[in-house]
Amino acid sequence: MFYELLGRITFLAVMALAALLLVSLILGILLVKKKRILLPKILLFTVDHFYFQLKKVASMFGVRESIVDQIGIELRNTLGAQSFAMVEPKDRILVVPQCLRHPKCPARLDSTEGILCKECGLCVVKDLKGEAERLGYRFYTVPGGRFVERIVKRVRPKAALGVACYKDLNMAMHELSRSRFAVQGVPLVRDGCVGTEVNLREVFERMRLGIEDAVASVSPCEEKTHLSGR
Ligand code: SF4
């Protein structure tokens, strides 16, 4: 009798979890493809707590697994935009990955500040740095996720905007938002170890959240660049 009851409860729990994962995947696809956000808190709970299971369900249905990371990023961008916008630019950081650099980048790595861009103009890091500093952000080009943790501990910003591949970005936003940190993120449009690309305009738009007079002064690089890596 006891084992039969236990079996039924287990079966119901498994079915409920399968239904939750399936509904979450459908809601997530709606969010990514149609920009329609439904039950965001439940969706975020599923992405955070059933990350690997959700990826399995996605691949079972022929959906690329990275969509789970994309859903997490879109959700945090939507839910966190308002609190990010309330933070003063001087308390914000912009962190971009070193894979955006040109292969012939002349900059050197500093153990606390990351890559020290010389603004040679061979890649978009110069444009990102210029706009970030113009708005009052602190800007970092980093060689990895551990470096971001060190910067956050040392600089103690109140908000962070990150650029990275889907998986790294989702993980970083998840970690930072656990400590009530205002986060925003822009995924790379082409990832990899070198020669990656980011949508420059999207980064600029997120950078300017809550900065009223920012759009009035358009940086020169924006007039010529929409999508760019190098
Ligand atoms: S602009 Fe790009 S290639 Fe030039 S120094 Fe900065 S990071 Fe390196």
Side-chain angles (χ1 to χ4, degrees):
M1 182 70 183
F2 170 75
Y3 287 109
E4 190 183 326
L5 186 64
L6 189 65
R8 281 187 188 186
I9 291 172
T10 306
F11 176 75
L12 284 175
V14 169
M15 294 309 287
L17 178 60
L20 176 70
L21 293 175
L22 198 55
V23 170
S24 297
L25 186 63
I26 292 166
L27 291 178
I29 291 171
L30 258 181
L31 171 68
V32 169
K33 305 275 182 207
K34 308 274 183 201
K35 303 293 173 205
R36 287 190 60 193
I37 188 161
L38 296 168
L39 306 174
K41 295 264 167 76
I42 292 175
L43 194 48
L44 194 58
F45 174 85
T46 315
V47 170
D48 287 348
H49 292 85
F50 298 102
Y51 177 77
F52 294 107
Q53 294 87 339
L54 202 52
K55 285 203 165 190
K56 269 263 180 296
V57 173
S59 73
M60 274 168 56
F61 285 91
V63 180
R64 63 182 165 84
E65 290 187 10
S66 66
I67 200 162
V68 177
D69 297 298
Q70 194 176 357
I71 294 166
I73 294 163
E74 294 257 358
L75 278 169
R76 288 208 162 81
N77 276 345
T78 307
L79 296 173
Q82 205 176 355
S83 46
F84 185 89
M86 288 166 68
V87 176
E88 284 188 57
K90 70 176 177 58
D91 293 319
R92 302 182 191 182
I93 58 172
L94 170 62
V95 183
V96 306
Q98 70 157 346
C99 57
L100 277 175
R101 291 193 298 158
H102 191 276
K104 291 186 177 160
C105 174
R108 69 173 179 85
L109 173 66
D110 178 87
S111 59
T112 52
E113 294 294 310
I115 306 292
L116 299 175
C117 173
K118 292 188 168 181
E119 302 183 29
C120 73
L122 282 174
C123 75
V124 292
V125 173
K126 174 181 184 256
D127 303 323
L128 292 164
K129 180 175 187 281
E131 181 64 356
E133 290 176 350
R134 184 181 78 82
L135 294 174
Y137 278 68
R138 273 166 291 182
F139 175 81
Y140 300 94
T141 307
V142 297
R146 284 278 162 84
F147 217 97
V148 181
E149 285 174 29
R150 295 217 305 263
I151 287 169
V152 168
K153 274 191 191 146
R154 183 170 56 82
V155 175
R156 298 196 175 278
K158 292 181 182 160
L161 169 59
V163 174
C165 65
Y166 281 121
K167 190 174 173 198
D168 288 356
L169 186 59
N170 184 33
M171 293 296 157
M173 290 174 81
H174 174 59
E175 281 305 313
L176 290 175
S177 59
R178 273 159 38 138
S179 42
R180 299 192 177 277
F181 213 82
V183 289
Q184 291 288 286
V186 179
L188 294 167
V189 289
R190 188 171 79 186
D191 62 16
C193 297
V194 288
T196 57
E197 291 184 356
V198 68
N199 186 327
L200 207 53
R201 174 154 286 186
E202 196 182 338
V203 183
F204 286 172
E205 281 172 7
R206 292 225 175 264
M207 252 194 251
R208 292 169 182 162
L209 283 172
I211 307 175
E212 275 153 27
D213 60 346
V215 186
S217 176
V218 176
S219 61
C221 59
E222 189 173 355
E223 289 168 354
K224 62 181 186 202
T225 316
H226 286 200
L227 181 70
S228 180
R230 288 171 289 156

